[in-house]
Each structure stands twice: as structure tokens, then as C-alpha cells.
Amino acid sequence: MEAQTVVALLITIALCYVPSLWRTIIHNRKLRSIPTIGPSGSLTSYIGALRFFFQSQEMVQEGYDKYRGSLFKIPTLTSWFVVVSGDRLIDELRRAPDDALSPLEAFRETLSSDLTLGPEFFDDPFQVEIVKGPLTRNIGAKFADVQDEIIAAFDDLVPIQGNEWTEVTAFNTVMDIVCRASNRMLVGLPLCRDPDWIDLTKQFTMDVIMSAMVLSIFPTGLKPFIAPLLTRVPRALRRGIKHLEPLIGERLELKTLHGKDWSENPNDVISWALDVTMDRPRDTKALVRAILGINFAAIHTTTMSFTFVLYELATRPEYIQPLREEVEAVMKEEGWSKGSVRKLWKVDSFIKECLRVSNVNPGKFESKQITMNRKVLKDFTFSDGTTVPAGGTVMVPFDSVHTDADNYIDPKTFDGFRFEKMRGNDNENLKHQFVSLSVDYVLFGHGRHACPGRFFVANELKVMLSHILLNYDIKMGDERGRPKNWKFGVHGGPNTTAKMLFRKRAKSGV
């Protein structure tokens, strides 16, 4: 490339940052009353933004320690994060009207969804209605199918030879199992085992995440030019249409023939999507986009979570036997069902604790430093008098809340049965279970916009963990302890290359 071309390209890129810089300067004046972590000047704040890429956890914690119970801000390359702390203000954030603090617009901005998934994905987000409604209602009805797929997937992907140890790459194997189990719930057999469909849904998940992460560092003016170089969503939609269009067409014909109350209507995401969109315009592409979007949410959340849980279990062997005993006792008494899984208090507690402290132990990374993101659509004033101006983003610090000594006894110590012990009486049973929402446990957010798929995710996590406990011995491949996680600014997750060893238990499970 000639020198003049390079210079022209650099000038173009720099000019694209000018509007972002100008908006930052104007917005900074409006945010002046909110304390800053790092330099607060319109230009010097970029030093803090660069630091945030490498020390996001430390900066968030510094702000939380200094300003707990109020608000503080942290610079990024393109904007400011305003962080809300303290039970009272977190609850005010939860209750704020959507026309002032919008979770939908925050999610849309975070994912750059208009450029990756297409604006239609949030213009009519009927996929959320599917997850809140028929998917959640059918967890019990589809329980046996999902459990069957988990067993089959483990048999296929973790092949055991006698008493020998089998080595697998943990993250990839978990993603494969989660993908099959989730799709057994969503699309059923045989599609949930179709190699091309499995590859499509996994690749779609990774493409959306990686595209969003890369686009987050670019100013608004550059994103439309960068996005086509990154996203493979249009290609994924074409692949998805090849799989689903015949099924959707057949289902529409059957509905026309038998009527909307047809008793033999297949119980899957295609039927759910058609039912939810019955009274609105729809096309095959929109239905496929929604189904892939549900897959994205299910696969990403569950894979990340279960990999964290596996790493903790493999490096904390003292928990294996009491967890096994609980699963064996409950299943012997009641068998496998959604109801019996709900009685696995120790299993539920262990998973909840793994994800509570997934950010604090040495060598770990903040997989989710912030949560409850809200785009400020109009000036909003909290009860302490602090006003956040329109155009910004407010959020809650995930790790800081979960390791606050006011919320938990000895908060930075792992206690796998912490929440089981807190469920000491009938009045506390629901409050401390994994899917419960509160201002001191914000894994799923809080309030009416909390993760709608958390019930399905929790059920899947508990069945997978129970299956491992009953049927396998496990340990880390290098036996060096908990593997370090990856990070990129506020983004991050469990190590994706770490190896784990599986061996069949001498005594078969239930």
C-alpha cells in the first residue's frame, strides 16, 4: 500500500473519531457532578479508557470502594460508563421506566445489533416473548427429552474406554453438549443432532460475540464500514433458512388444515414462534433470525456458566461426594423430573456460588464486570440528587456487589453450600435459590427485565452437573488448579483451551 493511501486511511479513521470526541466533550460537561475513576478531562480521560481495557476489574472496584451507595463514572474510548451502587440506587434503577432508562436500547448498543443481527431483531423482539412464555412453560414437558440429549451428547463427546482417563478441551466440549441439549428443547430430533445445524448455531453465537467486542472499540461513524468485514450473520441466516424454511412451510400448512387448536401441533420453537406472531406481520427470515437469537442466548450463557462450574468442581474435589450423595438420594426417592431437580439444594447452591465468585479468586477474570445496563433516553435523577443526562449508559457492578461484605459473610471465600445453608426455613427457600432475583445477587439482572431464560439455563446446568457427578470422575488435565480466564475490557470468560480429564465412575450412577 502506498504511503499516501496509508495517510489518507489514517486521516479518515481519525476524522471518524471527531464526532465521538465532540460528543464526549459535551457529555462530559453534563456528567461533571459525577465523580470519575481515572483522569476526568475530555482528552485525558482517554488515558483512563486505555487503562480500562487492562484493569477494568480494578477500576470498577476502586469506584465501588470510594463511592458505594452513590454513582461514579469510568471512561471508555467512545463514551462513559456510569456505575450505580448500593441497594437503594440499584433498586431505583430496577424500577426506572423504560422510556427513561432502557435495557433494550442498551443491549442493542452493546451488541451493535443493528449492524450484526439487523435492526429487525429489536424492532419486534418477539423472541423474548417466546422465552418468557412457551419456552419457560414447557421446561417440565420437555425435561425428559433434554435429559436424554445430555446423556447422549456426553456419550458421544466424552468417550470412555474402561477405567482410562479421557482428555477433552473443556470449553469446546461443553459448548457442543449445550448446543445439542438446548436444541433438543428448541427444534427436537433429528435437527438437534444435524452436524450442519449444530455448527451453524455454535458459529452464529461466536460470530455475534466477537463482532460486538471488536465493534465496541470503534466510534459510531466507523462501525457501518467495519461491521461487514466482521459479521457472518447474513450467511448464517441463509444457512438457517435452508434448514427451517421447509419445516415452517409444513407447519403453516398443517395449521391451516387443522386450525390453531390442533392437538397434535409439535411442541417446539417453530410452533411457539408461529403462535406468538399469529397476529402480526412475519416472514421466514424473521422467524429464523429469532430462533438463531434464542440459540445464541441459550448457548452463550450456559456454556460460559457450566465451564466455570466444571473448573471449580475439578479443583475443589471435597465437594464431589456430598453433591453426589444429594443427587443419588433425591433421584432414588423421586426419579428424574423438573420437580425433583428443584430439590437439589446443594447442587443449586454450588452452581450459584461458582458464578458469584467467578471474578475474585487469583487468576480469574471478570466474566461480567457490569450488569443491568440501561441506555439513558432522557435525563434521570436518582434519589440522592444525582442526574444522569440523556445519551449515557448506566449499569451495576457485578463482581463488587457479589463480594460486598455487607451482602455476604466472608465474601471472597468460596463456600459451595453457602446458599443451601441460607435456605434454613420455608420462608427462605425461594429467596436463595439460583434463579431468585435480589439487589445482592445480580447475575441475571433484577426486576422485570431480568434474564427471561434463567429458568431453562438453571435446569440445564443442574441436570448436566448431576449427570457428571453420578457418572464420572473429573480433574484438570494439567492438575495445576483453576485455569486463567481471558479478558478484553469488560468482556471475558473461562479459559477456552484448558483440558479436562474424565473417567467413568467405578460405581454407576442412578
Side-chain angles (χ1 to χ4, degrees):
M1 186 180 292
E2 296 183 1
Q4 296 95 327
T5 305
V6 174
V7 171
L9 180 61
L10 292 175
I11 291 174
T12 301
I13 293 173
L15 288 175
C16 286
Y17 274 93
V18 170
S20 177
L21 175 60
W22 180 247
R23 282 194 299 272
T24 300
I25 292 173
I26 298 301
H27 201 242
N28 189 30
R29 292 173 182 170
K30 296 180 179 180
L31 290 169
R32 192 168 292 162
S33 63
I34 301 175
T36 306
I37 301 304
S40 60
S42 297
L43 294 177
T44 57
S45 64
Y46 281 91
I47 299 173
L50 291 173
R51 179 190 167 201
F52 192 58
F53 269 110
F54 305 100
Q55 298 181 335
S56 56
Q57 183 177 8
E58 291 84 353
M59 292 181 73
V60 171
Q61 190 62 50
E62 178 185 344
Y64 190 86
D65 291 341
K66 286 183 178 179
Y67 305 110
R68 189 190 187 287
S70 58
L71 291 82
F72 60 93
K73 65 180 185 288
I74 296 176
T76 72
L77 290 176
T78 58
S79 62
W80 291 89
F81 284 164
V82 177
V83 183
V84 177
S85 68
D87 294 356
R88 178 167 57 91
L89 297 188
I90 292 174
D91 195 57
E92 289 178 21
L93 176 65
R94 172 185 70 84
R95 292 185 284 105
D98 292 357
D99 62 354
L101 303 182
S102 171
L104 186 65
E105 291 305 315
F107 192 57
R108 196 168 189 159
E109 184 176 90
T110 300
L111 277 184
S112 296
S113 64
D114 286 5
L115 299 173
T116 55
L117 297 169
E120 304 86 355
F121 191 73
F122 282 119
D123 287 343
D124 180 14
F126 64 86
Q127 65 278 356
V128 177
E129 297 175 51
I130 295 171
V131 174
K132 285 184 175 180
L135 188 149
T136 299
R137 288 198 303 269
N138 280 287
I139 292 173
K142 305 272 284 186
F143 180 91
D145 287 345
V146 173
Q147 185 198 17
D148 176 71
E149 198 59 35
I150 288 171
I151 294 170
F154 269 99
D155 288 345
D156 292 343
L157 299 166
V158 189
I160 301 297
Q161 299 286 335
N163 293 323
E164 298 297 318
W165 289 98
T166 295
E167 184 179 75
V168 299
T169 302
F171 182 85
N172 293 342
T173 302
V174 169
M175 177 172 280
D176 287 338
I177 293 168
V178 167
C179 188
R180 281 181 51 172
S182 299
N183 276 284
R184 184 67 178 269
M185 176 78 178
L186 296 174
V187 298
L189 290 169
L191 190 54
C192 71
R193 296 182 187 177
D194 184 293
D196 187 67
W197 176 256
I198 294 299
D199 179 71
L200 164 61
T201 52
K202 290 192 303 179
Q203 194 60 52
F204 180 83
T205 298
M206 299 309 297
D207 284 346
V208 171
I209 291 296
M210 294 306 297
S211 296
M213 287 173 54
V214 174
L215 287 172
S216 68
I217 68 175
F218 289 97
T220 303
L222 267 185
K223 288 181 180 182
F225 302 99
I226 300 298
L229 304 176
L230 299 174
T231 181
R232 300 177 184 176
V233 170
R235 187 188 312 169
L237 287 174
R238 290 193 294 271
R239 286 175 70 187
I241 288 171
K242 287 182 180 179
H243 284 286
L244 297 179
E245 188 171 38
L247 298 175
I248 292 170
E250 178 185 35
R251 204 66 57 81
L252 286 171
E253 289 180 7
L254 290 170
K255 279 182 171 290
T256 301
L257 180 64
H258 298 286
K260 65 178 183 179
D261 297 324
W262 178 38
S263 61
E264 297 182 20
N265 187 26
N267 191 20
D268 61 20
V269 73
I270 297 173
S271 295
W272 305 337
L274 292 175
D275 289 342
V276 165
T277 60
M278 185 181 303
D279 299 322
R280 70 186 82 178
R282 64 188 176 198
D283 57 32
T284 298
K285 188 175 181 180
L287 295 172
V288 172
R289 182 187 285 110
I291 292 170
L292 288 176
I294 294 170
N295 254 293
F296 158 71
I299 293 171
H300 174 64
T301 302
T302 312
T303 298
M304 297 268 285
S305 299
F306 197 63
T307 305
F308 275 128
V309 171
L310 272 188
Y311 289 164
E312 296 293 354
L313 185 67
T315 54
R316 302 180 186 277
E318 67 272 18
Y319 284 97
I320 292 176
Q321 189 56 34
L323 288 169
R324 278 178 175 164
E325 290 174 356
E326 179 185 66
V327 177
E328 288 173 340
V330 171
M331 298 312 151
K332 182 178 180 181
E333 182 73 21
E334 302 195 21
W336 289 95
S337 69
K338 177 187 173 184
S340 62
V341 167
R342 195 184 298 123
K343 296 183 178 181
L344 298 175
W345 287 14
K346 283 185 169 65
V347 169
D348 186 277
S349 175
F350 186 81
I351 293 171
K352 186 171 182 177
E353 180 73 351
C354 287
L355 300 178
R356 182 189 72 84
V357 301
S358 59
N359 303 343
V360 293
N361 286 356
K364 294 189 179 180
F365 167 67
E366 61 287 2
S367 64
K368 193 179 179 185
Q369 267 302 304
I370 52 178
T371 187
M372 295 180 66
N373 297 27
R374 303 287 191 268
K375 183 71 177 179
V376 186
L377 302 184
K378 60 184 179 184
D379 292 3
F380 183 84
T381 302
F382 286 88
S383 62
D384 67 348
T386 304
T387 297
V388 182
T393 305
V394 294
M395 57 205 62
V396 171
F398 172 89
D399 181 46
S400 301
V401 169
H402 287 181
T403 57
D404 190 326
D406 287 345
N407 294 333
Y408 298 98
I409 298 171
D410 201 6
K412 295 193 177 183
T413 298
F414 184 94
D415 180 355
F417 301 144
R418 177 189 300 273
F419 296 100
E420 185 243 354
K421 288 179 282 190
M422 293 168 73
R423 292 167 67 161
N425 58 67
D426 291 341
N427 294 329
E428 299 292 305
N429 285 350
L430 296 179
K431 179 180 178 182
H432 299 296
Q433 65 181 346
F434 181 42
V435 295
S436 296
L437 305 173
S438 66
V439 293
D440 55 15
Y441 195 87
V442 290
L443 176 71
F444 296 113
H446 189 29
R448 65 188 184 281
H449 293 299
C451 173
R454 67 188 185 277
F455 301 99
F456 176 61
V457 169
N459 188 74
E460 198 171 13
L461 289 173
K462 286 189 276 190
V463 174
M464 288 193 297
L465 180 55
S466 298
H467 180 72
I468 286 177
L469 289 165
L470 295 180
N471 295 283
Y472 298 96
D473 294 321
I474 64 171
K475 62 182 179 180
M476 297 307 304
D478 58 10
E479 300 189 56
R480 294 180 181 176
R482 174 72 164 76
K484 292 183 179 180
N485 302 344
W486 63 271
K487 67 176 181 177
F488 183 76
V490 293
H491 305 285
N495 188 299
T496 60
T497 61
K499 306 292 185 181
M500 286 190 65
L501 297 173
F502 285 74
R503 181 178 65 185
K504 199 70 174 178
R505 279 185 70 195
K507 179 181 178 181
S508 179
V510 175

